[in-house]
Amino acid sequence: MKTKNLKLHVWRQNGPTDTGRFEDHVAENVSEHMSFLEMLDELNERLIADGKDPVAFDHDCREGICGMCSMVINGHAHGPHERTTTCQIHMRHLFDEGWDEVWVEPWRASAFPIQKDLVVERQALDEIIHAGGYISIRTGSARDANEAPIPKPIADRAFDAATCIGCGACVAACPNASASLFTAAKIAHLGLLPQGQAERMSRAKRMVAKMDELGFGGCTNHGECEKACPKGISIDFIAQMNRDLLKAVITDRDVPSGHGDGE
Amino acid sequence: MELKSNEPTGPIDKRWTEHKANSKLVAPHNRRKHTVIVVGSGLAGGAAAATLGELGYRVKCFCFQDSPRRAHSIAAQGGINAAKNYQNDGDSIYRLFYDTVKGGDFRARESNVYRLAELSVEIIDQAVAQGVPFAREYGGLLANRSFGGAQVSRTFYARGQTGQQLLLGAYAGLARQIDAGTVKMYPRTEMLDLIVHEGRARGIVTRNLISGKLEAHVADVVVLATGGYGNVFYLSTNAKGSNATATWRAHRKGALFANPCYTQIHPTCIPRSGEAQSKLTLMSESLRNDGRVWVPRKKEDCDKDPKTIPEKDRYYYLEERYPAFGNLVPRDVASRNAMYVCEDDGLGVGPKVGDEPRRAVYLDFADAISRLGKDVVIERYGNLFEMYERITGDDPVETPMRIYPATHYTMGGLWVDYNLESTIPGLFVGGEANFSDHGANRLGASALMQGLADGYFVLPFTIGNYLGTVRQVSPLEDDDAICRDAIRDVKARIEKLMNAPSPKHGPDHFHRLLGNIIWRYCGMSRSRDGLKEALRQIPVLREQFYQELKITPTKDEGINQTLERAGRLEDFFELGELMCIDALEREESCGGHFRVEHQVDGEAKRDDENFQHAAAWAWTGDTAAPKLHKEALSFEYVKPTMRSYK
Ligand SMILES: Cc1cc2nc3c(=O)[nH]c(=O)nc-3n(C[C@H](O)[C@H](O)[C@H](O)COP(=O)(O)OP(=O)(O)OC[C@H]3O[C@@H](n4cnc5c(N)ncnc54)[C@H](O)[C@@H]3O)c2cc1C
Ligand code: SF4
Ligand code: FES
């Protein structure tokens, strides 16, 4: 079993208005089998024992599916290993890079205010979904699921888009802090399926308008989002979103500004 | 207290329909006068909140993650059952009902299980209409697979991400209601207590996990859909934040807790790699279809490269002990045997963690590769192999996988009647948090089904019946004295945790130790002496926890993740003790509860005469002396039988 001593520079920030700074630590005898978060757990246990504040960070499933973990490791959103979330990064991946020194930072984007240390607020991504990122169906009123067959290639493509875990790495990696990949994935998932057609245009229009309103930047085709995305969401979906948007503008017959029908 | 199940009588296939026909309703214009609190945004809570909002109630929904879409349901991999019979292989609602009652080892209520099977069909329709991209065949129709030894193919799936896709569907419904203004979402908000007023559940106390602020929220009805308590073991396949605080605090306020000792251990998880291990990852059970399980016959071979151990020195213990089923014996049998070879026989493999016995066995694909070819095996299991390699650094094509059982699901939970109402009027419980449908053992792909059945179809209806019956609850405001008192109590609890007399260790230190006790004495196999030992050790450790707990930051304001963990652990201590008491009281083996004193040839031996009941425990104020109430179970349709896998 390989072990190593690592120099850590961890971002510490007390709240949204604090300026923040890197704090230096040494992680001793780190085993290659540990996960990156377990290495931080150990650091935190030591800090607590010494009466110091542990590093705050978000995580939950630690299986790469909930989208809660969110760290920039040596400049890479979610670390060096492709298609892997922060929680699934293991120390051997860092050893493979030959790193003895590690800089850990939060997602940085104006739409994601830093709450503390590595914890950011990603409510803005939810707000984009609230702006029409759904199919309006009443509970209990659906017809039989097999009444409308969906060609497998279309179902598969919709699935590819639907695997987005809403982590926000695409935003963190983008020089413009754009949420285009996230938004496009949702629009494509629903817009590709026959069930999603009725609201397709209004959905695209509302969601993109919301994204702009929330202070995310525009897409200028850097492609950094696709590289950082742990689920391999393709940048092609952005092109598709732009086509839908164009159509929505052309066929615009005063698309309603939203709202479901519940009260 | 008499436990009334309130289940309808008459033919089982008409019970739910008749119950609905005879229930009270709330008129549309009156619904907006009622506030409903839903704690939890997983499949059960998310679906309930969305549907209640759609019906016109004013809904407040809470979760501790930063977004409702991250609830632990997201991690479910395998699939969801439904009696659609799309494959024309003889499935039916009755068969799913039958399988579930039998799978639960005759420890669940028949009426509830039948309703679950009945509603399973509608869940799939609902999910597809929402845009859930289930796997499809080339003809465009939905695909199914057989799961967990079922004789029919009734499992719907979305690659290995079924829970994620179903949760995104429920979340979309929730988003639609947030958009419509019927649901207000409170993410990063943790429920720390239940407010009971005039005998009814009327609200909750929460802590804002960003600001640290304590608040009271009042409502006409409270729904708990807060998931299971598997993290009492510290290491489990649950998400790190999964906790029992909401249900435990409701228990302390009068809700009975049923069958806490029924926990499920999954046989194929990735073993621990070191002392810092923080959680365990599940590998799909399907691996056992082609992998062969073995350990070395000789202790001195345990740390050797497995490829150098000759065939004659390998102990294929499942194949030898269970020739009929071999590597495909049920979850609990596979799990227990892995434990026996590692802990009793000392034949476990893999790296040593501390001075514990090695806890891992091999799952070997070499035979499958030489029989089917590498390509076929990779096509079947490639994504699982990749996941395994990412975590362990080993490629299962080159060297056998190492697996070990881990805690996965908890069948026990708050006791509820047919309406999913607890013993506190106005407190409803859905999903893994209740004890309702799985008896002593849950079948694969049935938890997602239950969460969604509860959320979409049962709770919105039975809550209407409750409100239609009660009509008006007495007025209560967020700042009434009773709410202020409730907040004060929570504050006192927090202060006690933050001011231990001789602070030494953070909460994880104690959680690991508690987990070791529960795993050792109340895990896969339980004995009278062991349980008594656990009941001696837990209070001692808890006392040490209160003496030596150290929390930084030392302020309760702002983000304090150490405090969050400490609060959850405090409740796990009490729940863990109740698990052991329940396991000691249940002098039989059934489902996930295996008592070494009750076995025939290594097989679980049920005692229907004395234990055909749900054990529902009441809080008395003394953790060591809860009061037991029994709900007798009767089986009109599925007659209890004993199982055998030899
Ligand atoms: C790895 C894994 C794989 C699985 N695979 C399958 C499968 O293939 N098929 C299947 O049927 N089942 C599977 N299961 C089981 C299934 O996923 C769960 O039982 C089910 O999803 C539970 O759903 P739930 O809605 O009851 O709770 P959860 O999804 O756990 O949601 C709990 C909610 O409550 C909230 N909450 C909890 N406590 C508090 C509190 N104190 N205050 C505020 N909010 C709180 C959380 O934020 C969350 O929103 C699997 C489980 C695991 C661990
Ligand atoms: S598109 Fe990829 S990077 Fe962006 S939120 Fe979704 S999963 Fe994360
Ligand atoms: S913690 Fe869930 S994806 Fe990383």
Side-chain angles (χ1 to χ4, degrees):
Chain A
M1 186 174 69
K2 244 195 280 175
T3 60
K4 219 172 177 178
N5 294 341
L6 281 183
K7 246 195 223 157
L8 295 176
H9 311 278
V10 186
W11 187 257
R12 303 305 300 260
Q13 183 171 337
N14 273 327
T17 51
D18 183 21
T19 42
R21 71 221 69 86
F22 283 102
E23 190 177 86
D24 297 346
H25 292 281
V26 177
E28 277 168 17
N29 280 322
V30 178
S31 144
E32 60 176 329
H33 295 309
M34 257 183 177
S35 76
F36 189 77
L37 297 187
E38 284 163 358
M39 187 267 298
L40 288 182
D41 288 343
E42 281 210 333
L43 171 67
N44 277 344
E45 278 198 68
R46 252 193 298 130
L47 289 172
I48 294 170
D50 293 347
K52 296 186 184 129
D53 285 4
V55 180
F57 62 88
D58 270 329
H59 66 103
D60 198 25
C61 73
R62 297 202 176 187
E63 279 192 16
I65 192 74
C66 76
M68 189 109 177
C69 59
S70 43
M71 293 180 199
V72 176
I73 303 168
N74 279 359
H76 304 269
H78 283 316
H81 204 60
E82 61 171 22
R83 298 189 66 164
T84 302
T85 53
T86 303
C87 61
Q88 291 282 283
I89 294 283
H90 281 68
M91 296 316 291
R92 84 179 68 82
H93 299 137
L94 270 59
F95 295 2
D96 289 349
E97 301 287 323
W99 291 345
D100 300 311
E101 206 167 345
V102 182
W103 301 76
V104 193
E105 295 169 80
W107 282 177
R108 294 191 193 276
S110 54
F112 292 165
I114 295 172
Q115 297 295 337
K116 185 175 185 180
D117 303 339
L118 306 171
V119 174
V120 301
E121 202 45 71
R122 286 167 287 187
Q123 190 77 44
L125 294 182
D126 287 277
E127 286 181 40
I128 294 175
I129 304 288
H130 300 165
Y134 48 77
I135 291 172
S136 298
I137 168 77
R138 266 179 195 284
T139 302
S141 66
R143 58 179 177 169
D144 185 85
N146 250 356
E147 241 175 59
I150 301 176
K152 189 167 161 37
I154 293 190
D156 284 349
R157 182 116 178 101
F159 194 103
D160 290 340
T163 56
C164 162
I165 57 173
C167 61
C170 46
V171 179
C174 174
N176 307 336
S178 168
S180 288
L181 193 61
F182 167 82
T183 310
K186 196 71 209 170
I187 289 175
H189 161 204
L190 300 176
L192 280 163
L193 295 169
Q195 307 91 298
Q197 294 311 307
E199 296 160 297
R200 180 168 174 180
M201 298 308 159
S202 61
R203 182 185 305 120
K205 220 178 126 183
R206 280 190 68 204
M207 290 179 75
V208 172
K210 188 49 124 189
M211 173 176 83
D212 294 343
E213 177 196 319
L214 290 167
F216 290 102
C219 172
T220 47
N221 290 317
H222 285 274
E224 293 297 330
C225 53
E226 189 185 74
K227 271 185 243 156
C229 175
K231 297 294 142 178
I233 304 283
S234 158
I235 201 166
D236 295 348
F237 290 124
I238 298 183
Q240 188 177 328
M241 170 173 82
N242 290 334
R243 283 198 298 276
D244 275 7
L245 207 56
L246 195 66
K247 256 194 235 157
V249 174
I250 293 169
T251 56
D252 194 3
R253 277 177 291 122
D254 200 22
V255 173
S257 63
H259 296 311
D261 45 13
E263 201 206 27
Chain B
M1 183 191 302
E2 197 203 338
L3 288 174
K4 280 206 280 205
S5 72
N6 291 320
E7 61 196 307
T9 49
I12 199 152
D13 56 339
K14 301 281 181 315
R15 287 182 190 171
W16 177 233
T17 312
E18 297 218 344
H19 187 65
K20 284 201 287 188
N22 296 329
S23 292
K24 294 249 175 22
L25 297 171
V26 180
H29 66 280
N30 280 330
R31 291 185 202 142
R32 81 176 83 94
K33 296 180 191 150
H34 293 293
T35 303
V36 180
I37 282 175
V38 179
V39 188
S41 64
L43 290 184
T51 305
L52 287 160
E54 184 181 271
L55 286 168
Y57 295 104
R58 265 188 309 193
V59 179
K60 291 174 145 190
C61 183
F62 298 80
C63 72
F64 65 76
Q65 294 91 347
D66 69 338
S67 164
R69 62 177 274 151
R70 304 203 204 284
H72 170 59
S73 292
I74 201 119
Q77 305 168 356
I80 176 167
N81 287 331
K84 278 288 198 185
N85 194 28
Y86 281 160
Q87 306 305 321
N88 192 28
D89 56 0
D91 198 14
S92 64
I93 289 171
Y94 192 87
R95 193 178 284 276
L96 176 54
F97 155 70
Y98 178 91
D99 288 352
T100 308
V101 170
K102 187 164 174 248
D105 223 358
F106 305 94
R107 291 293 175 265
R109 209 184 276 147
E110 278 190 332
S111 303
N112 284 58
V113 178
Y114 194 91
R115 174 177 65 192
L116 175 63
E118 204 175 330
L119 292 173
S120 69
V121 173
E122 276 185 77
I123 293 170
I124 302 303
D125 301 340
Q126 169 77 9
V128 167
Q130 286 169 333
V132 171
F134 283 124
R136 288 183 182 265
E137 297 162 354
Y138 280 97
L141 297 177
L142 292 162
N144 292 114
R145 61 181 170 207
S146 128
F147 203 73
Q151 288 165 307
V152 291
S153 289
R154 62 160 75 102
T155 304
F156 293 77
Y157 60 101
R159 292 187 200 157
Q161 287 136 272
T162 316
Q164 179 198 27
Q165 294 307 318
L166 288 169
L167 185 62
L168 292 183
Y171 168 68
L174 196 61
R176 175 165 163 255
Q177 294 309 316
I178 293 171
D179 197 12
T182 61
V183 176
K184 181 153 170 47
M185 189 67 219
Y186 294 82
R188 293 208 198 257
T189 311
E190 181 157 356
M191 166 181 166
L192 294 181
D193 216 342
L194 180 74
I195 298 174
V196 180
H197 180 48
E198 296 174 352
R200 295 180 187 281
R202 289 300 307 279
I204 59 173
V205 177
T206 59
R207 180 168 179 273
N208 180 314
L209 301 182
I210 297 288
S211 68
K213 191 162 178 251
L214 296 179
E215 276 179 330
H217 299 265
V218 301
D220 299 3
V221 169
V222 177
V223 179
L224 300 185
T226 48
Y229 51 89
N231 275 348
V232 66
F233 288 88
Y234 185 68
L235 288 179
S236 85
T237 63
N238 286 8
K240 287 294 285 176
S242 296
N243 71 92
T245 287
T247 47
W248 191 255
R249 290 290 146 184
H251 171 62
R252 291 179 61 124
K253 286 282 160 76
L256 300 200
F257 207 108
N259 302 334
C261 80
Y262 292 163
T263 53
Q264 187 171 71
I265 312 279
H266 196 288
T268 50
C269 301
I270 301 179
R272 289 173 67 187
S273 70
E275 309 210 19
Q277 188 87 29
S278 60
K279 79 153 282 170
L280 298 167
T281 301
L282 180 123
M283 302 293 291
S284 167
E285 234 176 329
S286 62
L287 290 167
R288 286 198 283 144
N289 290 332
D290 286 306
R292 295 181 72 193
V293 177
W294 65 277
V295 289
R297 285 195 192 275
K298 301 186 215 147
K299 280 188 188 166
E300 59 272 24
D301 285 349
C302 287
D303 57 355
K304 283 199 186 135
D305 177 352
K307 282 175 294 183
T308 64
I309 301 174
E311 197 60 26
K312 67 171 184 20
D313 290 335
R314 297 177 176 196
Y315 181 16
Y316 295 93
Y317 58 91
L318 288 177
E319 296 172 22
E320 285 184 27
R321 293 178 187 175
Y322 304 90
F325 279 76
N327 296 299
L328 292 173
V329 292
R331 284 182 180 178
D332 57 327
V333 179
S335 299
R336 259 195 317 275
N337 279 283
M339 178 186 70
Y340 293 148
V341 294
C342 294
E343 316 217 344
D344 300 353
D345 306 342
L347 297 173
V349 299
K352 248 177 122 46
V353 178
D355 47 12
E356 295 166 18
R358 293 176 208 273
R359 293 195 176 109
V361 299
Y362 290 125
L363 180 63
D364 197 337
F365 291 88
D367 277 2
I369 290 170
S370 60
R371 186 163 37 93
L372 304 163
K374 190 170 147 186
D375 293 348
V376 174
V377 173
I378 289 194
E379 195 190 305
R380 280 189 197 163
Y381 306 111
N383 60 338
L384 293 165
F385 285 5
E386 226 173 82
M387 180 161 113
Y388 181 84
E389 186 171 3
R390 197 175 294 145
I391 294 175
T392 62
D394 287 340
D395 177 1
V397 171
E398 299 299 324
T399 185
M401 238 177 205
R402 281 174 295 108
I403 55 161
Y404 201 63
T407 302
H408 176 55
Y409 184 85
T410 52
M411 281 74 69
L414 290 183
W415 184 91
V416 287
D417 69 1
Y418 188 68
N419 292 315
L420 305 186
E421 190 174 6
S422 71
T423 48
I424 302 176
L427 179 70
F428 291 77
V429 191
E432 194 173 337
N434 72 28
F435 89 118
S436 158
D437 296 354
H438 306 293
N441 179 41
R442 176 179 71 80
L443 293 183
S446 288
L448 302 180
M449 169 172 78
Q450 185 224 332
L452 289 176
D454 289 357
Y456 284 131
F457 302 113
V458 182
L459 288 166
F461 184 80
T462 57
I463 286 171
N465 178 46
Y466 171 80
L467 289 169
T469 310
V470 177
R471 280 161 177 274
Q472 215 166 7
V473 290
S474 51
L476 189 66
E477 299 292 330
D478 293 353
D479 55 359
D480 277 357
I482 159 163
C483 297
R484 288 201 308 270
D485 289 353
I487 292 178
R488 196 200 47 215
D489 290 351
V490 171
K491 201 163 177 56
R493 222 161 79 212
I494 290 176
E495 270 165 18
K496 179 174 176 198
L497 291 175
M498 303 207 45
N499 294 295
S502 32
K504 263 201 202 102
H505 309 283
D508 292 5
H509 167 81
F510 300 99
H511 201 162
R512 270 189 215 105
L513 294 172
L514 173 68
N516 284 344
I517 299 175
I518 307 275
W519 179 247
R520 173 141 184 229
Y521 299 114
C522 199
M524 284 178 271
S525 139
R526 296 131 185 216
S527 70
R528 197 171 303 131
D529 291 345
L531 289 164
K532 285 188 179 155
E533 179 57 28
L535 288 169
R536 252 191 309 275
Q537 291 185 11
I538 293 170
V540 175
L541 182 63
R542 177 171 51 220
E543 192 41 41
Q544 204 186 344
F545 163 79
Y546 283 122
Q547 292 294 320
E548 298 181 356
L549 174 66
K550 186 162 185 176
I551 294 180
T552 56
T554 50
K555 277 199 309 242
D556 175 29
E557 288 154 31
I559 294 181
N560 192 334
Q561 297 175 330
T562 319
L563 173 64
E564 290 167 30
R565 293 203 298 278
R568 294 168 191 162
L569 176 57
E570 179 179 32
D571 295 333
F572 280 136
F573 267 114
E574 296 184 354
L575 173 56
E577 189 171 353
L578 186 66
M579 277 172 71
C580 296
I581 292 173
D582 186 42
L584 187 60
E585 171 76 24
R586 190 167 281 279
E587 288 279 355
E588 65 162 350
S589 294
C590 62
H593 170 64
F594 187 81
R595 280 285 302 268
V596 295
E597 299 91 348
H598 304 288
Q599 51 179 317
V600 231
D601 303 336
E603 291 291 338
K605 186 160 168 275
R606 260 192 355 249
D607 176 356
D608 290 341
E609 204 170 308
N610 296 304
F611 289 95
Q612 195 166 292
H613 61 247
W617 298 90
W619 174 256
T620 58
D622 177 359
T623 52
K627 184 160 171 24
L628 174 63
H629 299 269
K630 296 176 185 173
E631 181 199 340
L633 299 168
S634 59
F635 294 89
E636 291 173 59
Y637 290 86
V638 190
K639 292 293 165 214
T641 49
M642 286 288 177
R643 59 176 204 172
S644 168
Y645 294 100
K646 286 270 178 181

